Amino acid sequence: SISPETTALRGTIMVMDPSSTENADDFAWGVIGFANAQLFLLDIGTLGSLEETALEDLARVCIKWKVSTLYDEINYAGGMFRSLFQPILKRVCDKAEWRCGFSPKGYRRKPGLSKNNYIISILDQLLSQNRLITTRAVIEKDNGYRRKGLSEELSRTYRLFYQLTHITVEGGTLLHDDRVDMLAIGAEYWAPSM
């Protein structure tokens, strides 16, 4: 049963993992809220292009979920995405009378761990303690993702819950890690509050 008690989120961020041309990952984004030492995965998606209309749609996602902070891989392409998105984000948010912006720090991967080990080290504790909550709508959206021009079999390798259930310490089990990496980056952002 569902408890009638609710609490407001203490904060909501949008996490972005820009794509790389090396491995053909998608530009993955997710909206993650925090309350009571739990993370709430509210929405996920991909940025299909850097066209103005796509960036405006992404800004509207920030307004919809009351995102206050955008957290991205700051060293990606020398900050090119930030430079491109900031004026559009400001224009769309100003029109809706909502304020949000990029975290000044941004995300930088710590040296020492392989990417898989980093992701697992962040998400293992979160999942084993049942601190990640999402909705059926997010799961269905993820499960329905179909990458243009790819078969169902290859499309599923881009899905968050596929990546989450197939990642291993040894590596080599994922063709793509964009969405699970985005989730780990978001979990690391909220870790000091937990």
Side-chain angles (χ1 to χ4, degrees):
S1 75
I2 297 174
S3 171
E5 295 179 35
T6 61
T7 188
L9 294 174
R10 276 194 36 210
T12 307
I13 63 169
M14 177 179 277
V15 181
M16 293 172 284
D17 184 29
S19 57
S20 163
T21 53
E22 305 168 355
N23 58 9
D25 278 351
D26 281 339
F27 185 121
W29 59 262
V31 177
I32 302 174
F34 175 80
N36 296 335
Q38 295 180 314
L39 298 185
F40 296 82
L41 181 61
L42 304 169
D43 201 357
I44 58 172
T46 63
L47 185 62
S49 77
L50 296 177
E51 293 178 12
E52 189 168 344
T53 55
L55 295 174
E56 288 171 343
D57 289 344
L58 190 61
R60 283 190 274 281
V61 171
C62 292
I63 295 164
K64 173 185 177 182
W65 293 107
K66 299 187 179 349
V67 168
S68 59
T69 304
L70 287 83
Y71 194 59
D72 66 332
E73 199 167 348
I74 197 166
N75 57 344
Y76 176 76
M80 184 262 322
F81 177 73
R82 281 181 175 217
S83 300
L84 187 64
F85 188 44
Q86 274 180 319
I88 294 170
L89 177 69
K90 181 176 178 359
R91 177 173 42 82
V92 172
C93 288
D94 282 354
K95 189 174 180 181
E97 298 180 2
W98 183 253
R99 295 176 53 98
C100 68
F102 283 90
S103 166
K105 293 182 191 176
Y107 167 75
R108 294 181 196 276
R109 188 169 315 285
K110 294 176 181 71
L113 285 178
S114 72
K115 194 171 189 180
N116 279 17
N117 285 334
Y118 157 76
I119 292 169
I120 291 168
S121 72
I122 297 293
L123 296 180
D124 182 47
Q125 189 173 9
L126 181 72
L127 296 172
S128 66
Q129 294 177 359
N130 298 315
R131 292 180 182 265
L132 178 65
I133 298 167
T134 194
T135 65
R136 180 183 303 266
V138 169
I139 295 168
E140 288 173 352
K141 182 178 183 181
D142 184 54
N143 194 45
Y145 178 75
R146 183 76 182 260
R147 195 155 201 253
K148 189 176 180 181
L150 291 185
S151 67
E152 169 61 24
E153 185 177 341
L154 287 176
S155 285
R156 78 174 153 204
T157 65
Y158 286 90
R159 296 178 185 149
L160 171 62
F161 293 99
Y162 177 89
Q163 293 171 10
L164 195 57
T165 58
H166 286 76
I167 193 168
T168 64
V169 174
E170 296 81 26
T173 55
L174 296 179
L175 291 174
H176 307 284
D177 62 13
D178 46 2
R179 286 163 180 76
V180 73
D181 193 23
M182 171 274 302
L183 183 60
I185 291 167
E188 185 176 46
Y189 175 89
W190 287 116
S193 301
M194 297 179 82

